Amino acid sequence: MKELEEKILEEGIVIGPNILKVDSFLNQQIDCKLIQQMGKEFAEYFKDKNIDKVLTVESSGIAPALATALELGVKCVFARKQQSLTTGDNVYHSSVYSFTKQVTNELIVSKNFIKEDENVLMIDDFLANGQAAKGMVALVRQAGANPVGFGIVIEKSFSDGRSVIENEMGLEVYSLARIAKLEDGKITFVEE
Ligand code: 5GP
């Protein structure tokens, strides 16, 4: 998605080894118009898959997932990373190790919101090693629902995530921006 690549080049900051900061339009401040366009792109790509629900992980996946669900005319569900007072015990959960934050998070979602046989599209802000993706698929499978595929805003194509989704899980992944390299403060996209 050209507008997204331009925004990443304008406002993205490479921090630490292989980490991209996009707080100014995706991870803290949200560029609503750009997010709306992302939703349209994902919805167009997955429109023939009979999506019943869009699933993401709090917090940064919520904006693009909401925009996609709005376009598809379905509900958007986000997995929590912490049990809340209102969540109760009627939940599916899985564990996700984050290489970026070096912590293991639980993903928790109420059994009321993913149902057997639903076709679930999963959306996330970044794809790196595919751990969050695995966690989401585990939740969908526990519910007896069908994981349809992934819509990713920014794929770090130098990491294993795509291979984990395509080869280990046999699912489709559609990324709006694919980064080949993050080196010396410079961002290079995959040539399509
Ligand atoms: P994975 O589970 O695929 O290894 O990593 C994906 C998750 O880690 C995303 O949900 C995202 O929150 C976070 N993440 C991974 N790489 C980056 C990055 O370069 N920048 C930011 N802001 N988040 C990242």
Side-chain angles (χ1 to χ4, degrees):
M1 186 177 143
K2 197 165 154 289
E3 298 84 346
L4 175 62
E5 289 190 356
E6 283 168 5
K7 193 74 161 177
I8 293 171
L9 291 177
E10 273 165 32
E11 297 185 16
I13 302 167
V14 183
I15 52 167
N18 289 333
I19 300 291
L20 181 65
K21 182 172 159 130
V22 288
D23 283 17
S24 67
F25 63 93
L26 182 62
N27 286 155
Q28 185 161 28
Q29 175 170 255
I30 290 172
D31 183 325
C32 302
K33 274 270 165 231
L34 190 63
I35 296 279
Q36 187 179 34
Q37 268 177 280
M38 293 174 192
K40 286 184 197 295
E41 284 274 333
F42 286 135
E44 175 61 25
Y45 187 85
F46 289 103
K47 68 174 188 290
D48 298 327
K49 303 280 185 188
N50 292 318
I51 306 297
D52 295 303
K53 210 149 266 180
V54 175
L55 175 68
T56 189
V57 174
E58 68 173 351
S59 55
S60 296
I62 295 176
L66 173 80
T68 309
L70 256 177
E71 290 295 326
L72 290 169
V74 299
K75 288 187 176 147
C76 169
V77 179
F78 64 89
R80 293 185 183 276
K81 288 180 180 160
Q82 268 165 6
Q83 192 91 20
S84 96
L85 279 176
T86 56
T87 324
D89 295 333
N90 190 33
V91 293
Y92 300 115
H93 51 89
S94 60
S95 296
V96 172
Y97 180 72
S98 164
F99 289 98
T100 27
K101 296 182 189 131
Q102 312 225 318
V103 291
T104 299
N105 280 311
E106 285 291 299
L107 295 189
I108 304 157
V109 72
S110 166
K111 290 184 180 174
N112 293 326
F113 303 135
I114 310 181
K115 295 289 185 194
E116 200 174 343
D117 294 333
E118 280 183 332
N119 294 325
V120 181
L121 170 63
M122 293 155 288
I123 300 279
D124 208 1
D125 60 339
F126 274 87
L127 173 64
N129 296 291
Q131 297 304 303
K134 272 185 168 174
M136 279 194 266
V137 168
L139 295 175
V140 173
R141 295 221 157 107
Q142 282 170 50
N146 311 314
V148 171
F150 283 89
I152 299 292
V153 178
I154 304 174
E155 174 186 328
K156 300 202 289 190
S157 302
F158 51 83
S159 297
D160 292 341
R162 176 172 285 270
S163 160
V164 167
I165 293 175
E166 290 181 341
N167 303 330
E168 279 184 35
M169 300 194 280
L171 296 171
E172 192 173 8
V173 50
Y174 176 56
S175 303
L176 301 182
R178 301 185 67 202
I179 293 178
K181 270 196 294 184
L182 289 174
E183 267 173 21
D184 306 324
K186 195 166 166 273
I187 301 161
T188 312
F189 294 105
V190 173
E191 307 239 357
E192 302 278 359

